[in-house]
Amino acid sequence: MTESEDALAIRHVAERLMEEHPQLDAGLVRSSVQTAYEELRYARVRTYLPVLMERRAKDLLPPDGHPGRET
């Protein structure tokens, strides 16, 4: 993946998560996706980067879908 492909993947993952979790602040979702990307950006196998980013971003989002509440 090139840098522009990475940016496109980040945007698509953020859009999917915002559709999946409309109750969450869009900035929080984007921040989670960006953090996930930063953690994975140097992976040698780039094919699954979008899937891995989405899974990691979901882990970073509030567990019950409401910001500020922990279980």
Side-chain angles (χ1 to χ4, degrees):
M1 281 186 163
T2 66
E3 193 170 322
S4 61
E5 289 173 329
D6 284 357
L8 186 61
I10 290 168
R11 192 174 83 227
H12 286 168
V13 169
E15 288 171 357
R16 277 195 303 273
L17 288 175
M18 284 188 276
E19 287 177 15
E20 189 175 324
H21 301 283
Q23 73 280 10
L24 293 176
D25 178 65
L28 175 64
V29 174
R30 283 190 212 99
S31 175
S32 296
V33 173
Q34 188 63 41
T35 299
Y37 171 74
E38 293 298 326
E39 292 175 1
L40 298 165
R41 72 185 299 172
Y42 297 111
R44 284 196 246 177
V45 179
R46 312 282 293 171
T47 305
Y48 303 107
L49 184 61
V51 172
L52 295 173
M53 278 192 318
E54 187 167 348
R55 287 182 184 173
R56 179 62 181 132
K58 283 180 182 181
D59 289 344
L60 295 170
L61 292 172
D64 63 356
H66 294 90
R69 291 183 52 200
E70 294 185 25
T71 56

